[in-house]
Amino acid sequence: EAGVVQSPRYKIIEKKQPVAFWCNPISGHNTLYWYRQNLGQGPELLIRYENEEAVDDSQLPKDRFSAERLKGVDSTLKIQPAELGDSAVYLCASSPHRGSDTQYFGPGTRLTVL
Amino acid sequence: GENVEQHPSTLSVQEGDSAVIKCTYSDSASNYFPWYKQELGKRPQLIIDIRSNVGEKKDQRIAVTLNKTAKHFSLHITETQPEDSAVYFCAASSIGAGSYQLTFGKGTKLSVIP
């Protein structure tokens, strides 16, 4: 079974530029999470989807961050414009359905903002 | 919301010795406690988890204990090996908006010295 897939693995941009990350969850998983992991810290939830519905986006900085999961499968997280403090690893995770507590993580996208 | 504290932040042990990592949580409604291992530049991988209806769970050299009254849980690794060197994260999970949300500790960097 393929795991959670993310791309790109690494991204370097200059501040004020836009950037987008893509995630494909494990096949059949309805719940999808985006996390941000700062250096030396644990992952922090940004947004959670149940199919195509964002059920918890309270931690997403909505002035510059946006996300979508239009068909309830893969998802895109966007930052526009990026700031220096956005440098982090952006992790995607999935669970089979909302009643499942186990989350499976992707390899992440390491973003560096110069 | 949930708050998870993890100690120690770094831990060095001799190969063959045991390692113990401790976490406390604040939300008494939390009922699922996973542990993730993250090697440098790789995805967090679930190594063991425990639910609130049990007090201890073992899987070969790793075990987790849970004390719901005191709201703390611990990871025990016996007969440590160099390949156990990684960052370990604890997490606590409760249901919010119909699906599980994880709150992570800040991680423990375990170094096993050959």
Side-chain angles (χ1 to χ4, degrees), chain B residues 45-57:
Chain B
Q45 286 199 303
L46 180 68
I47 56 171
I48 196 168
D49 55 16
I50 192 168
R51 291 176 175 81
S52 58
N53 57 342
V54 298
E56 184 175 3
K57 184 177 178 180

PDB file of all heavy atoms in Angstrom, chain B residues 45-57:
ATOM      1  N   GLN B  45       6.892   8.380  12.141  1.00  0.00           N
ATOM      2  CA  GLN B  45       6.325   7.038  11.997  1.00  0.00           C
ATOM      3  C   GLN B  45       5.757   6.580  13.318  1.00  0.00           C
ATOM      4  O   GLN B  45       6.434   6.643  14.348  1.00  0.00           O
ATOM      5  CB  GLN B  45       7.406   6.058  11.527  1.00  0.00           C
ATOM      6  CG  GLN B  45       7.773   6.237  10.062  1.00  0.00           C
ATOM      7  CD  GLN B  45       8.473   5.024   9.503  1.00  0.00           C
ATOM      8  OE1 GLN B  45       9.496   4.627  10.041  1.00  0.00           O
ATOM      9  NE2 GLN B  45       7.950   4.451   8.436  1.00  0.00           N
ATOM     10  N   LEU B  46       4.534   6.103  13.274  1.00  0.00           N
ATOM     11  CA  LEU B  46       3.880   5.588  14.467  1.00  0.00           C
ATOM     12  C   LEU B  46       4.586   4.316  14.929  1.00  0.00           C
ATOM     13  O   LEU B  46       4.764   3.379  14.157  1.00  0.00           O
ATOM     14  CB  LEU B  46       2.417   5.277  14.167  1.00  0.00           C
ATOM     15  CG  LEU B  46       1.585   4.717  15.308  1.00  0.00           C
ATOM     16  CD1 LEU B  46       1.377   5.775  16.378  1.00  0.00           C
ATOM     17  CD2 LEU B  46       0.246   4.207  14.785  1.00  0.00           C
ATOM     18  N   ILE B  47       5.026   4.298  16.182  1.00  0.00           N
ATOM     19  CA  ILE B  47       5.711   3.111  16.696  1.00  0.00           C
ATOM     20  C   ILE B  47       4.872   2.335  17.705  1.00  0.00           C
ATOM     21  O   ILE B  47       4.996   1.119  17.814  1.00  0.00           O
ATOM     22  CB  ILE B  47       7.083   3.460  17.317  1.00  0.00           C
ATOM     23  CG1 ILE B  47       6.949   4.499  18.422  1.00  0.00           C
ATOM     24  CG2 ILE B  47       8.052   3.928  16.236  1.00  0.00           C
ATOM     25  CD1 ILE B  47       8.247   4.710  19.215  1.00  0.00           C
ATOM     26  N   ILE B  48       4.031   3.027  18.433  1.00  0.00           N
ATOM     27  CA  ILE B  48       3.151   2.368  19.384  1.00  0.00           C
ATOM     28  C   ILE B  48       2.095   3.372  19.822  1.00  0.00           C
ATOM     29  O   ILE B  48       2.324   4.580  19.761  1.00  0.00           O
ATOM     30  CB  ILE B  48       3.935   1.816  20.611  1.00  0.00           C
ATOM     31  CG1 ILE B  48       3.093   0.806  21.408  1.00  0.00           C
ATOM     32  CG2 ILE B  48       4.431   2.944  21.501  1.00  0.00           C
ATOM     33  CD1 ILE B  48       3.905   0.015  22.432  1.00  0.00           C
ATOM     34  N   ASP B  49       0.946   2.881  20.215  1.00  0.00           N
ATOM     35  CA  ASP B  49      -0.091   3.772  20.729  1.00  0.00           C
ATOM     36  C   ASP B  49      -0.855   3.059  21.843  1.00  0.00           C
ATOM     37  O   ASP B  49      -0.767   1.842  22.000  1.00  0.00           O
ATOM     38  CB  ASP B  49      -1.034   4.235  19.616  1.00  0.00           C
ATOM     39  CG  ASP B  49      -1.668   3.075  18.839  1.00  0.00           C
ATOM     40  OD1 ASP B  49      -1.631   1.917  19.311  1.00  0.00           O
ATOM     41  OD2 ASP B  49      -2.195   3.331  17.735  1.00  0.00           O
ATOM     42  N   ILE B  50      -1.576   3.827  22.617  1.00  0.00           N
ATOM     43  CA  ILE B  50      -2.356   3.264  23.714  1.00  0.00           C
ATOM     44  C   ILE B  50      -3.644   4.044  23.832  1.00  0.00           C
ATOM     45  O   ILE B  50      -3.675   5.260  23.610  1.00  0.00           O
ATOM     46  CB  ILE B  50      -1.554   3.279  25.041  1.00  0.00           C
ATOM     47  CG1 ILE B  50      -2.263   2.434  26.108  1.00  0.00           C
ATOM     48  CG2 ILE B  50      -1.302   4.696  25.526  1.00  0.00           C
ATOM     49  CD1 ILE B  50      -1.388   2.162  27.327  1.00  0.00           C
ATOM     50  N   ARG B  51      -4.697   3.335  24.142  1.00  0.00           N
ATOM     51  CA  ARG B  51      -5.987   3.974  24.344  1.00  0.00           C
ATOM     52  C   ARG B  51      -6.339   3.956  25.819  1.00  0.00           C
ATOM     53  O   ARG B  51      -5.793   3.167  26.599  1.00  0.00           O
ATOM     54  CB  ARG B  51      -7.052   3.294  23.477  1.00  0.00           C
ATOM     55  CG  ARG B  51      -6.819   3.563  21.992  1.00  0.00           C
ATOM     56  CD  ARG B  51      -7.773   2.859  21.062  1.00  0.00           C
ATOM     57  NE  ARG B  51      -7.543   3.261  19.682  1.00  0.00           N
ATOM     58  CZ  ARG B  51      -6.582   2.779  18.888  1.00  0.00           C
ATOM     59  NH1 ARG B  51      -5.762   1.857  19.357  1.00  0.00           N
ATOM     60  NH2 ARG B  51      -6.450   3.217  17.648  1.00  0.00           N
ATOM     61  N   SER B  52      -7.285   4.783  26.181  1.00  0.00           N
ATOM     62  CA  SER B  52      -7.498   5.064  27.602  1.00  0.00           C
ATOM     63  C   SER B  52      -8.095   3.903  28.384  1.00  0.00           C
ATOM     64  O   SER B  52      -8.166   3.969  29.603  1.00  0.00           O
ATOM     65  CB  SER B  52      -8.395   6.296  27.755  1.00  0.00           C
ATOM     66  OG  SER B  52      -9.631   6.089  27.099  1.00  0.00           O
ATOM     67  N   ASN B  53      -8.488   2.849  27.697  1.00  0.00           N
ATOM     68  CA  ASN B  53      -9.085   1.730  28.414  1.00  0.00           C
ATOM     69  C   ASN B  53      -8.052   0.697  28.885  1.00  0.00           C
ATOM     70  O   ASN B  53      -8.412  -0.306  29.489  1.00  0.00           O
ATOM     71  CB  ASN B  53     -10.142   1.043  27.546  1.00  0.00           C
ATOM     72  CG  ASN B  53      -9.575   0.569  26.213  1.00  0.00           C
ATOM     73  OD1 ASN B  53      -8.523   1.016  25.788  1.00  0.00           O
ATOM     74  ND2 ASN B  53     -10.280  -0.335  25.564  1.00  0.00           N
ATOM     75  N   VAL B  54      -6.758   0.961  28.606  1.00  0.00           N
ATOM     76  CA  VAL B  54      -5.698   0.071  29.083  1.00  0.00           C
ATOM     77  C   VAL B  54      -4.614   0.889  29.760  1.00  0.00           C
ATOM     78  O   VAL B  54      -4.491   2.087  29.541  1.00  0.00           O
ATOM     79  CB  VAL B  54      -5.084  -0.767  27.941  1.00  0.00           C
ATOM     80  CG1 VAL B  54      -6.129  -1.668  27.316  1.00  0.00           C
ATOM     81  CG2 VAL B  54      -4.457   0.135  26.900  1.00  0.00           C
ATOM     82  N   GLY B  55      -3.838   0.212  30.606  1.00  0.00           N
ATOM     83  CA  GLY B  55      -2.802   0.921  31.338  1.00  0.00           C
ATOM     84  C   GLY B  55      -1.405   0.702  30.793  1.00  0.00           C
ATOM     85  O   GLY B  55      -0.505   1.482  31.070  1.00  0.00           O
ATOM     86  N   GLU B  56      -1.226  -0.370  29.997  1.00  0.00           N
ATOM     87  CA  GLU B  56       0.101  -0.671  29.482  1.00  0.00           C
ATOM     88  C   GLU B  56      -0.034  -1.468  28.184  1.00  0.00           C
ATOM     89  O   GLU B  56      -0.964  -2.257  28.019  1.00  0.00           O
ATOM     90  CB  GLU B  56       0.908  -1.484  30.500  1.00  0.00           C
ATOM     91  CG  GLU B  56       2.338  -1.768  30.084  1.00  0.00           C
ATOM     92  CD  GLU B  56       3.142  -2.473  31.163  1.00  0.00           C
ATOM     93  OE1 GLU B  56       2.567  -2.801  32.219  1.00  0.00           O
ATOM     94  OE2 GLU B  56       4.346  -2.680  30.949  1.00  0.00           O
ATOM     95  N   LYS B  57       0.918  -1.240  27.299  1.00  0.00           N
ATOM     96  CA  LYS B  57       0.950  -1.973  26.038  1.00  0.00           C
ATOM     97  C   LYS B  57       2.397  -2.206  25.660  1.00  0.00           C
ATOM     98  O   LYS B  57       3.231  -1.305  25.806  1.00  0.00           O
ATOM     99  CB  LYS B  57       0.224  -1.176  24.951  1.00  0.00           C
ATOM    100  CG  LYS B  57       0.116  -1.870  23.617  1.00  0.00           C
ATOM    101  CD  LYS B  57      -0.694  -1.000  22.657  1.00  0.00           C
ATOM    102  CE  LYS B  57      -0.798  -1.626  21.278  1.00  0.00           C
ATOM    103  NZ  LYS B  57      -1.587  -0.751  20.352  1.00  0.00           N
TER     104      LYS B  57
END
